[in-house]
Amino acid sequence: MSISDTSEQTGGASAPQALVSWSGGKDSCLALWRARSAGSNISLLITAMDEHGEKSRSHGVPPALLAAQAASIGAPLEFYDTSWTSYEEKFIGVLRAARERGITQAIFGDIDLVPHREWEEKVCASAGLQASLPLWLEARRALVDEFLAAGFKAVVVCVNGTYLGPQFCGREFDAAFLADLPEGVDACGENGEFHTFVYDGPAFSVPVAFERVAVQRYDSPVQLGGATFYFQTLGLTQAPD
């Protein structure tokens, strides 16, 4: 399968109607911001939740906070509940429904992991959509620097205990966090070392008001790798006047 870059965007009347595979984290946010700045019409955000719809897959963010993000960004948000085993089937179904509503492009925040891109191109082809990766093959650290320099703000909501201790969970994603990362841990967390929740920046009309509640430990089943993860539980608070 070709992995040629499909991230070119067009503006004006020909701008595509696009959805974003939305995790709420820094990479999907930067991809959205770039695509919108280049002229794409962001018509929908889609987020995979756990089987009970209580938190997002991988990042562990509750729906109220993701909805607050979407409201500030100015795009509709749809959730779909899924297990890891049904993830692909459910995702293709969501893409097909979006295609029926006139959306032609799906935006992803992946940077350079070829298997991820190949999967995204496969599921998009099944639904009749074009996969777009605005960050593709750019230097990871340069993307982090661009994100922070643009004024985006994020909090670390999940860390993989194989790489980072629980003291990293709940920290601001900023220069101090990056300076404290152990050698070998990627600044983008592209290898699964950590995940983030973006709460402010140029894509937002207002900051998302939240509070840090507790750090929770989760030990994944052996069949899923057996790794230990730490999640920063977040709660939605009332935004200041």
Side-chain angles (χ1 to χ4, degrees):
M1 179 177 293
S2 170
I3 59 170
S4 60
D5 192 7
T6 58
S7 65
E8 291 83 8
Q9 308 290 338
T10 59
S14 63
Q17 297 292 324
L19 64 81
V20 179
S21 180
W22 183 253
S23 68
K26 57 180 178 52
D27 297 332
S28 63
C29 184
L30 185 59
L32 177 150
W33 186 56
R34 280 191 173 189
R36 179 181 272 175
S37 298
S40 287
N41 295 316
I42 306 302
S43 304
L44 181 66
L45 311 180
I46 58 171
T47 302
M49 307 297 285
D50 64 14
E51 295 93 330
H52 308 292
E54 295 176 350
K55 57 186 179 180
S56 60
R57 283 273 162 210
S58 300
H59 289 51
V61 178
L65 279 162
L66 293 162
Q69 275 186 323
S72 183
I73 288 169
L77 170 65
E78 290 184 4
F79 301 114
Y80 60 101
D81 304 344
T82 181
S83 66
W84 285 122
T85 55
S86 65
Y87 188 94
E88 181 171 315
E89 178 185 359
K90 290 284 189 74
F91 192 75
I92 291 174
V94 171
L95 295 182
R96 286 176 175 165
R99 183 68 181 91
E100 291 176 358
R101 302 205 301 267
I103 292 173
T104 60
Q105 185 180 81
I107 295 166
F108 301 90
D110 288 282
I111 301 170
D112 56 24
L113 298 180
V114 172
H116 287 196
R117 175 160 194 152
E118 290 180 336
W119 182 85
E120 290 156 1
E121 290 182 335
K122 180 185 74 170
V123 295
C124 283
S126 296
L129 297 181
Q130 177 194 34
S132 174
L133 288 80
L135 314 183
W136 188 247
L137 293 184
E138 297 198 27
R140 295 179 181 182
R141 182 53 195 254
L143 290 170
V144 169
D145 292 342
E146 176 185 343
F147 177 85
L148 295 175
F152 285 107
K153 297 180 180 180
V155 59
V156 178
V157 290
C158 174
V159 301
N160 185 329
T162 304
Y163 305 100
L164 297 170
Q167 69 273 17
F168 284 90
C169 197
R171 288 185 57 175
E172 285 289 308
F173 180 73
D174 56 14
F177 174 84
L178 296 169
D180 288 343
L181 290 177
E183 184 177 357
V185 174
D186 179 53
C188 270
E190 188 72 352
N191 303 310
E193 298 98 327
F194 62 89
H195 297 299
T196 57
F197 173 81
V198 185
Y199 62 89
D200 196 11
F204 292 72
S205 61
V206 294
V208 176
F210 70 95
E211 62 179 347
R212 296 168 175 82
V213 179
V215 174
Q216 297 181 333
R217 173 174 171 158
Y218 171 72
D219 297 309
S220 66
V222 174
Q223 59 268 32
L224 294 178
T228 295
F229 295 88
Y230 299 95
F231 289 90
Q232 173 65 64
T233 305
L234 302 178
L236 186 65
T237 61
Q238 184 66 38
D241 295 331

